[in-house]
PDB file of all heavy atoms in Angstrom:
ATOM      1  N   SER A 117     179.325 -12.779   4.573  1.00  0.00           N
ATOM      2  CA  SER A 117     180.013 -11.529   4.176  1.00  0.00           C
ATOM      3  C   SER A 117     181.363 -11.804   3.519  1.00  0.00           C
ATOM      4  O   SER A 117     181.839 -11.025   2.732  1.00  0.00           O
ATOM      5  CB  SER A 117     180.200 -10.610   5.381  1.00  0.00           C
ATOM      6  OG  SER A 117     181.017 -11.232   6.295  1.00  0.00           O
ATOM      7  N   THR A 324     180.444  -4.911  19.240  1.00  0.00           N
ATOM      8  CA  THR A 324     181.413  -5.817  19.855  1.00  0.00           C
ATOM      9  C   THR A 324     182.312  -6.407  18.779  1.00  0.00           C
ATOM     10  O   THR A 324     182.082  -6.192  17.592  1.00  0.00           O
ATOM     11  CB  THR A 324     180.675  -6.929  20.640  1.00  0.00           C
ATOM     12  OG1 THR A 324     179.483  -7.265  19.891  1.00  0.00           O
ATOM     13  CG2 THR A 324     180.250  -6.468  21.986  1.00  0.00           C
ATOM     14  N   ASP A 347     172.718  -7.678  18.796  1.00  0.00           N
ATOM     15  CA  ASP A 347     172.728  -9.094  19.174  1.00  0.00           C
ATOM     16  C   ASP A 347     173.795  -9.881  18.445  1.00  0.00           C
ATOM     17  O   ASP A 347     174.514  -9.336  17.604  1.00  0.00           O
ATOM     18  CB  ASP A 347     171.325  -9.647  18.996  1.00  0.00           C
ATOM     19  CG  ASP A 347     170.362  -8.706  19.699  1.00  0.00           C
ATOM     20  OD1 ASP A 347     170.400  -8.660  20.926  1.00  0.00           O
ATOM     21  OD2 ASP A 347     169.635  -7.919  19.026  1.00  0.00           O
ATOM     22  N   GLY A 349     174.838 -13.045  16.050  1.00  0.00           N
ATOM     23  CA  GLY A 349     174.375 -14.053  15.115  1.00  0.00           C
ATOM     24  C   GLY A 349     175.326 -14.169  13.926  1.00  0.00           C
ATOM     25  O   GLY A 349     176.342 -13.483  13.879  1.00  0.00           O
ATOM     26  N   THR A 351     175.291 -15.617   9.538  1.00  0.00           N
ATOM     27  CA  THR A 351     174.458 -16.040   8.426  1.00  0.00           C
ATOM     28  C   THR A 351     173.918 -17.449   8.666  1.00  0.00           C
ATOM     29  O   THR A 351     172.822 -17.795   8.257  1.00  0.00           O
ATOM     30  CB  THR A 351     175.267 -15.970   7.112  1.00  0.00           C
ATOM     31  OG1 THR A 351     175.795 -14.633   6.983  1.00  0.00           O
ATOM     32  CG2 THR A 351     174.449 -16.296   5.886  1.00  0.00           C
ATOM     33  N   ASP A 438     183.915 -18.961  15.634  1.00  0.00           N
ATOM     34  CA  ASP A 438     183.927 -17.875  16.598  1.00  0.00           C
ATOM     35  C   ASP A 438     184.400 -18.390  17.952  1.00  0.00           C
ATOM     36  O   ASP A 438     184.011 -19.497  18.366  1.00  0.00           O
ATOM     37  CB  ASP A 438     182.552 -17.285  16.781  1.00  0.00           C
ATOM     38  CG  ASP A 438     182.149 -16.373  15.634  1.00  0.00           C
ATOM     39  OD1 ASP A 438     182.960 -16.130  14.716  1.00  0.00           O
ATOM     40  OD2 ASP A 438     180.985 -15.924  15.615  1.00  0.00           O
ATOM     41  N   GLN A 578     176.516  -5.948   6.085  1.00  0.00           N
ATOM     42  CA  GLN A 578     177.247  -7.070   6.731  1.00  0.00           C
ATOM     43  C   GLN A 578     178.763  -6.897   6.719  1.00  0.00           C
ATOM     44  O   GLN A 578     179.478  -7.759   7.169  1.00  0.00           O
ATOM     45  CB  GLN A 578     176.897  -8.379   5.978  1.00  0.00           C
ATOM     46  CG  GLN A 578     175.789  -9.138   6.632  1.00  0.00           C
ATOM     47  CD  GLN A 578     175.390 -10.338   5.833  1.00  0.00           C
ATOM     48  OE1 GLN A 578     174.572 -10.248   4.930  1.00  0.00           O
ATOM     49  NE2 GLN A 578     176.002 -11.479   6.090  1.00  0.00           N
ATOM     50  N   LYS A 580     182.530  -6.194   7.475  1.00  0.00           N
ATOM     51  CA  LYS A 580     183.379  -6.074   8.662  1.00  0.00           C
ATOM     52  C   LYS A 580     184.820  -6.046   8.184  1.00  0.00           C
ATOM     53  O   LYS A 580     185.275  -6.991   7.549  1.00  0.00           O
ATOM     54  CB  LYS A 580     183.195  -7.300   9.568  1.00  0.00           C
ATOM     55  CG  LYS A 580     181.776  -7.497  10.030  1.00  0.00           C
ATOM     56  CD  LYS A 580     181.612  -8.802  10.772  1.00  0.00           C
ATOM     57  CE  LYS A 580     181.185  -9.977   9.927  1.00  0.00           C
ATOM     58  NZ  LYS A 580     179.987  -9.858   9.106  1.00  0.00           N
TER      59      LYS A 580
HETATM   60  P1  LIG B 701     178.294 -13.187   8.610  1.00  0.00           P
HETATM   61  O1  LIG B 701     178.465 -14.603   8.540  1.00  0.00           O
HETATM   62  O2  LIG B 701     178.894 -12.419   7.501  1.00  0.00           O
HETATM   63  O3  LIG B 701     176.862 -12.884   8.817  1.00  0.00           O
HETATM   64  O4  LIG B 701     178.997 -12.668   9.920  1.00  0.00           O
HETATM   65  C1  LIG B 701     178.806 -13.336  11.125  1.00  0.00           C
HETATM   66  C2  LIG B 701     179.966 -13.106  12.024  1.00  0.00           C
HETATM   67  O5  LIG B 701     179.987 -11.770  12.499  1.00  0.00           O
HETATM   68  C3  LIG B 701     179.914 -13.943  13.286  1.00  0.00           C
HETATM   69  O6  LIG B 701     180.330 -15.259  13.087  1.00  0.00           O
HETATM   70  C4  LIG B 701     180.833 -13.119  14.186  1.00  0.00           C
HETATM   71  O7  LIG B 701     182.168 -13.385  13.906  1.00  0.00           O
HETATM   72  C5  LIG B 701     180.491 -11.696  13.794  1.00  0.00           C
HETATM   73  N1  LIG B 701     179.435 -11.169  14.694  1.00  0.00           N
HETATM   74  C6  LIG B 701     178.117 -11.245  14.568  1.00  0.00           C
HETATM   75  N2  LIG B 701     177.493 -10.696  15.601  1.00  0.00           N
HETATM   76  C7  LIG B 701     178.437 -10.229  16.412  1.00  0.00           C
HETATM   77  C8  LIG B 701     178.421  -9.522  17.660  1.00  0.00           C
HETATM   78  N3  LIG B 701     177.290  -9.171  18.276  1.00  0.00           N
HETATM   79  N4  LIG B 701     179.610  -9.232  18.217  1.00  0.00           N
HETATM   80  C9  LIG B 701     180.764  -9.538  17.581  1.00  0.00           C
HETATM   81  N5  LIG B 701     180.827 -10.178  16.422  1.00  0.00           N
HETATM   82  C10 LIG B 701     179.692 -10.516  15.843  1.00  0.00           C
END
Side-chain angles (χ1 to χ4, degrees):
S117 63
T324 37
D347 308 291
T351 304
D438 284 353
Q578 264 175 273
K580 302 173 268 305

